[in-house]
Amino acid sequence: MRVSVVVAIEGGASVKAVAVDISSDGLGIECDIRQRNMMTPGGSYVRNGKPVSVIVDLELSDEGDQSIKIAARCLVAFSRRMSNDLCKIGLRYVDIENSSREWLVRFVERKQASLYNQ
C-alpha cells in the first residue's frame, strides 16, 4: 500500500513523499535524494545525539470510503539509499492521538486480513 504523506521537518519546511510499510508502530517513506537530504542530511538521522524528529500527516481510507487524517510526531529509525535516486526512511511513532492510534490499528488489521483473504 502506498499513500501520499507530508513530512514537516525542523525549521518549518515540509516534504511530500510516499508512505509505504504502514504499521501500528511506524511507517516507511520513499523519497528522492534531495528530499532525504532535507530530512536527514547525508543520511544522518541523529542530530545532537538524538534521533531526528519529524511530524507526518497522512490520510488513510478503507474500503468503506471512511477516511481519517493522522498526524503523528515520529523519530527517524533509519535512512537508507536504495538506488541512484531512491531513498527509504523508517519512522517510529512517538506521539499520536489515542483515537488516531486506535483507528490506525484497525486499519492495519483490516489491510492485513484482506491480503490473507485474497
Side-chain angles (χ1 to χ4, degrees):
M1 170 180 39
R2 302 170 68 81
V3 177
S4 294
V5 63
V6 176
V7 182
I9 56 179
E10 291 178 5
S14 62
V15 174
K16 290 183 182 178
V18 176
V20 296
D21 303 330
I22 299 170
S23 77
S24 56
D25 294 323
L27 69 151
I29 59 170
E30 291 181 348
C31 57
D32 62 31
I33 296 288
R34 182 189 59 79
Q35 294 167 315
R36 189 244 6 220
N37 285 336
M38 288 178 69
M39 293 179 273
T40 58
S44 177
Y45 55 94
V46 176
R47 200 172 287 140
N48 298 324
K50 296 180 181 178
V52 171
S53 176
V54 297
I55 304 290
V56 296
D57 288 310
L58 65 151
E59 186 169 349
L60 301 175
S61 57
D62 61 15
E63 294 80 25
D65 289 331
Q66 182 182 18
S67 66
I68 186 171
K69 289 187 178 192
I70 295 177
R73 188 170 65 84
C74 300
L75 296 179
V76 177
F78 67 83
S79 178
R80 295 191 182 111
R81 187 172 182 173
M82 306 302 284
S83 66
N84 234 10
D85 197 39
L86 177 66
C87 297
K88 187 168 184 181
I89 298 175
L91 302 174
R92 188 177 67 245
Y93 309 123
V94 291
D95 188 16
I96 184 171
E97 197 174 276
N98 266 350
S99 59
S100 293
R101 181 176 296 280
E102 291 168 9
W103 199 94
L104 179 64
V105 168
R106 287 193 308 274
F107 173 83
V108 169
E109 288 171 349
R110 283 191 301 268
K111 289 296 181 186
Q112 288 175 338
S114 69
L115 289 174
Y116 291 122
N117 293 328
Q118 288 183 358

